[in-house]
Amino acid sequence: MLSKKLFLSLVLMALGLHSTAQPGAPAPVAPLPSANQVSWQRMETYAFIHFGPNTFGDREWGYGDADPMKEFNPTRLDCEQWARTVKAAGMKGIILTAKHHDGFCLWPSRYTDYSVRNSPYKGGKGDIVGELAAACRKYGLKLGLYLSPWDRHQAFYGTPLYVEYFYAQLHELLSCYGDLFEVWFDGANGGDGYYGGARETRTIDRRTYYDFPRAWKMVEELQPKAVIFSDGGPGCRWVGNENGFAYATNWSFLRSKEVYPGYSKHWELQSGHADGDAWVPAECNVSIRPGWFYHAREDNKVKTVDQLVDLYYRSVGHNGTQLINFPVTKEGIIHPTDSARAVAAYRQISSELKTNLLRQARLQASATRGKAFGVRNLTDDDFDTYWATPDGVVKADLTIRFSKPRKLNRMKLQEYIPLGQRVKSFTVEYLDGGNWLPVKLNEETTTIGYRRLLRFRTIETRQLRIRFLDARGPLCINELGAYYAPNARDSYVEEDGVLESLPFTATPEHDAVTLDLGKEQLVRAFFYLPKQGTMPQGLVSNYEIYAGQSLDNMQLVKSGEFSNIRNHPVMQDVYFTPVNARYIKLKATRMIQPGEPMAYENLAVQ
């Protein structure tokens, strides 16, 4: 009869977690990651590429009515330039939007004429997915693909036929381009669209229409190494915002029967579910510019090096992965400003975390499981070794002694996630004279997970102490680091979205707001920053903008859709043919939540 310990070892080996089967190892604490999920999280950072007719039409969400012969013609598309940029920025892979919501395919799909086959690019013989796959192989990068379930082009979207169309295209992408590390399914589904000329709104049941378990099965069969992204996984989850960060408290768990693509309580995804039954870690997606597709007017709005560094600490450093989007230009390349900022940010992060001062320190634990699980494992750069406490010991201290006073302002902690995520609460203290003082942080010290990075104002000390206060099981810490980054910030505050504006007074209504400029002036643009917050309310989906010299003589100057505003409530800019006007009115023709009054954080007119 197999012993319980041997049986557990065999199970873990079958899951690909061979290193946890060493004698005396702590029992795993479920839920547990798969070997694929562990490999995926160890990639840490990778790139997103958004490119298509939206690029040429200056849109974020295309309706599906763009003519590819007129609106898709990159003149010097270079997938190798994309790969070189991503490689130089320290990223490990690229995810390409093979088909966005507009339905246009960047590969010559057999199932539609709405693809690169019917565009001027390479005389209709191009295959951008294939070109990127080749570039990734050449530069040692992994490839991922995004296939939008929603399709605003197809006339039969919303019918059973579309579901078969969707799976036929998914099969093409999974079987024709080599190994994939991730398959990405967007949660935006159903709404306004071209739909073969119908130009209407279509609603589907996000839980059932696509039969997503069928997709999970197809990916498992054709791409067994790939992690599946959606709001609820099953491989990894959306982090609940498009700003690129997870909360400091971030569990890699979800309640699997609750979360689905298009999940309405998206704010929960920023911290996960502490009582979740499935391992679904967070992926933190963000664009290096305000938009996901390229807009020349955003050339001066590329995220700064400081902002990108800050996002690394709040994504990878908050137990997530970082997915940075590069909006490729009309020519077909990553803009040099975007490239330079991403590379500089990588170099800055590498510099800040280069020298682990704990390698010259003496570490002591208040409790250790045994010789094989001692504190020396914390600084040996071996992912599969770890310090562990005995069964039943969920509280313990690690004391670090330096031979001389050391300046510090960064720390790194990692749990051995193949055995589960455990730590619920910890503190960091330093010795000041004869007193232990807390290291002052601007965030809570609760979860750790794969990696937790702490930033704080520089201290100088001979001793540090990490106190683990609560955990879901015996502690399993596989890496610990302390660093000094000269001239580094301890935190970074995002821009507040304030713009220069013509002066005005605002009169709000339930579904509109009217601005009085005081006198007639030439006006060319309107800016709307939605109400900010964890759960922003009063979001405008579709709009009309009126302008006039008097309130009883207002003319429509622009109408449209604030695409993706639910998930990405950033400043919305609307440009129109310049007009002379004293009054400007923003009217909501559709709200994200029907019946809600319009709300805003900031407005501007230029």
Side-chain angles (χ1 to χ4, degrees):
M1 183 179 222
L2 288 175
S3 69
K4 182 177 179 182
K5 186 176 292 184
L6 179 56
F7 175 75
L8 175 62
S9 299
L10 293 173
V11 169
L12 292 171
M13 290 174 69
L15 291 172
L17 306 177
H18 60 280
S19 60
T20 64
Q22 56 184 300
V29 178
L32 300 176
S34 69
N36 284 350
Q37 288 173 313
V38 174
S39 296
W40 167 87
Q41 187 130 29
R42 294 183 71 184
M43 289 176 66
E44 298 186 7
T45 64
Y46 39 96
F48 224 168
I49 297 287
H50 277 65
F51 184 62
N54 290 350
T55 307
F56 298 86
D58 201 24
R59 293 180 292 264
E60 280 292 289
W61 282 7
Y63 281 93
D65 58 355
D67 182 348
M69 291 301 295
K70 297 177 181 178
E71 294 199 40
F72 189 80
N73 188 21
T75 53
R76 55 189 185 110
L77 189 144
D78 186 353
C79 289
E80 290 198 10
Q81 187 258 358
W82 306 355
R84 288 193 299 271
T85 296
V86 168
K87 187 83 171 179
M91 301 178 187
K92 305 300 192 298
I94 300 176
I95 299 174
L96 174 67
T97 53
K99 186 190 82 169
H100 203 252
H101 310 323
D102 63 348
F104 183 80
C105 300
L106 295 181
W107 79 102
S109 174
R110 296 189 296 265
Y111 302 100
T112 182
D113 59 0
Y114 202 56
S115 75
V116 288
R117 185 191 296 113
N118 286 293
S119 77
Y121 179 62
K122 291 191 173 180
K125 299 186 182 301
D127 181 351
I128 295 172
V129 177
E131 291 170 37
L132 180 59
C136 285
R137 287 192 293 270
K138 180 175 179 178
Y139 289 92
L141 298 169
K142 295 183 178 182
L143 175 68
L145 294 175
Y146 166 121
L147 180 67
S148 173
W150 187 18
D151 192 318
R152 303 173 103 180
H153 174 78
Q154 288 299 340
F156 47 83
Y157 178 80
T159 71
L161 176 60
Y162 176 78
V163 178
E164 298 308 312
Y165 170 80
F166 172 74
Y167 280 104
Q169 290 195 321
L170 179 60
H171 192 279
E172 282 184 317
L173 292 174
L174 296 178
S175 57
C176 295
Y177 296 103
D179 289 342
L180 303 178
F181 82 92
E182 185 169 331
V183 180
W184 221 92
F185 296 110
D186 203 307
N189 289 295
D192 291 351
Y194 173 67
Y195 303 128
R199 295 188 179 276
E200 61 189 20
T201 299
R202 295 185 182 175
T203 303
I204 51 90
D205 186 331
R206 296 178 179 183
R207 283 180 178 268
T208 62
Y209 175 61
Y210 300 103
D211 187 17
F212 276 120
R214 179 178 170 186
W216 311 159
K217 183 178 179 182
M218 185 180 289
V219 173
E220 184 179 355
E221 290 175 351
L222 298 176
Q223 291 289 341
K225 296 180 181 179
V227 164
I228 299 170
F229 170 97
S230 78
D231 286 2
C236 62
R237 73 177 193 266
W238 180 44
V239 76
N241 66 69
E242 294 187 352
N243 299 317
F245 66 86
Y247 283 164
T249 299
N250 183 20
W251 293 101
S252 293
F253 317 148
L254 286 183
R255 296 187 288 271
S256 61
K257 292 181 172 37
E258 290 185 17
V259 186
Y260 54 90
Y263 185 57
S264 59
K265 299 179 181 179
H266 57 84
W267 56 88
E268 295 178 0
L269 306 180
Q270 294 173 116
S271 57
H273 294 150
D275 60 349
D277 64 308
W279 185 279
V280 191
E283 178 180 86
C284 305
N285 59 320
V286 66
S287 185
I288 200 167
R289 293 164 175 250
W292 291 90
F293 286 90
Y294 178 79
H295 310 288
R297 64 181 177 273
E298 294 179 353
D299 283 351
N300 64 347
K301 297 181 180 179
V302 180
K303 284 183 171 55
T304 65
V305 172
D306 276 343
Q307 286 174 308
L308 293 171
V309 170
D310 174 66
L311 288 174
Y312 175 85
Y313 280 98
R314 294 197 288 152
S315 56
V316 176
H318 281 178
N319 186 36
T321 60
Q322 184 181 55
L323 175 59
I324 294 182
N325 177 65
F326 293 96
V328 169
T329 67
K330 292 180 180 180
E331 291 77 14
I333 61 171
I334 294 175
H335 193 282
T337 301
D338 304 34
S339 174
R341 298 273 173 87
V343 172
Y346 169 63
R347 291 174 177 169
Q348 178 67 29
I349 294 162
S350 299
S351 173
E352 292 186 9
L353 303 176
K354 180 180 179 180
T355 304
N356 186 355
L357 299 174
L358 300 191
R359 294 200 179 97
Q360 288 81 47
R362 185 160 64 91
L363 280 67
Q364 183 178 3
S366 62
T368 298
R369 191 173 189 88
K371 186 176 181 181
F373 305 98
V375 293
R376 68 180 184 279
N377 295 335
L378 292 168
T379 56
D380 65 357
D381 283 334
D382 186 339
F383 179 81
D384 290 315
T385 63
Y386 47 92
W387 163 67
T389 57
D391 290 345
V393 178
V394 298
K395 296 182 180 181
D397 293 350
L398 283 173
T399 304
I400 298 137
R401 294 179 174 85
F402 299 103
S403 59
K404 61 181 180 180
R406 292 283 191 180
K407 290 183 178 181
L408 307 167
N409 52 23
R410 298 286 186 272
M411 285 199 72
K412 175 173 68 176
L413 303 95
Q414 288 189 183
E415 291 188 84
Y416 187 59
I417 59 171
L419 289 177
Q421 186 178 356
R422 300 164 182 249
V423 175
K424 294 181 180 181
S425 177
F426 69 99
T427 62
V428 180
E429 301 171 341
Y430 70 101
L431 196 63
D432 182 22
N435 300 313
W436 285 103
L437 301 178
V439 171
K440 293 182 179 179
L441 302 166
N442 60 4
E443 58 187 32
E444 68 269 19
T445 47
T446 48
T447 59
I448 294 176
Y450 167 73
R451 178 168 294 174
R452 185 68 190 274
L453 296 173
L454 304 176
R455 293 173 289 176
F456 45 90
R457 296 189 185 280
T458 300
I459 61 172
E460 188 168 4
T461 187
R462 279 180 171 271
Q463 290 190 48
L464 285 172
R465 183 166 67 187
I466 304 170
R467 312 197 76 178
F468 297 94
L469 305 178
D470 194 12
R472 300 169 65 243
L475 302 169
C476 294
I477 308 297
N478 72 334
E479 192 167 338
L480 193 66
Y483 310 86
Y484 175 57
N487 305 316
R489 296 188 182 197
D490 61 314
S491 63
Y492 186 81
V493 179
E494 290 281 353
E495 297 174 273
D496 60 10
V498 175
L499 287 171
E500 290 187 9
S501 173
L502 297 173
F504 61 81
T505 57
T507 303
E509 305 170 45
H510 185 274
D511 62 350
V513 59
T514 301
L515 310 186
D516 180 357
L517 306 181
K519 62 181 180 179
E520 185 179 315
Q521 302 188 59
L522 187 67
V523 178
R524 64 183 180 88
F526 189 97
F527 300 86
Y528 158 60
L529 179 65
K531 197 72 176 174
Q532 302 295 290
T534 304
M535 295 178 285
Q537 297 178 333
L539 298 175
V540 178
S541 171
N542 294 69
Y543 67 88
E544 293 175 343
I545 294 178
Y546 294 85
Q549 298 172 12
S550 65
L551 291 172
D552 58 2
N553 187 27
M554 304 277 279
Q555 302 294 320
L556 179 69
V557 294
K558 192 78 172 182
S559 63
E561 172 188 59
F562 291 132
S563 301
N564 202 26
I565 196 170
R566 181 201 299 268
N567 301 328
H568 197 43
V570 297
M571 183 73 79
Q572 309 292 315
D573 48 50
V574 181
Y575 291 85
F576 44 83
T577 302
V579 295
N580 285 306
R582 172 175 172 172
Y583 298 96
I584 302 291
K585 182 176 185 177
L586 170 66
K587 179 176 176 57
T589 58
R590 178 178 296 156
M591 300 294 292
I592 291 294
Q593 294 295 334
E596 271 192 353
M598 178 197 296
Y600 55 87
E601 192 80 17
N602 191 29
L603 301 172
V605 180
Q606 293 180 350

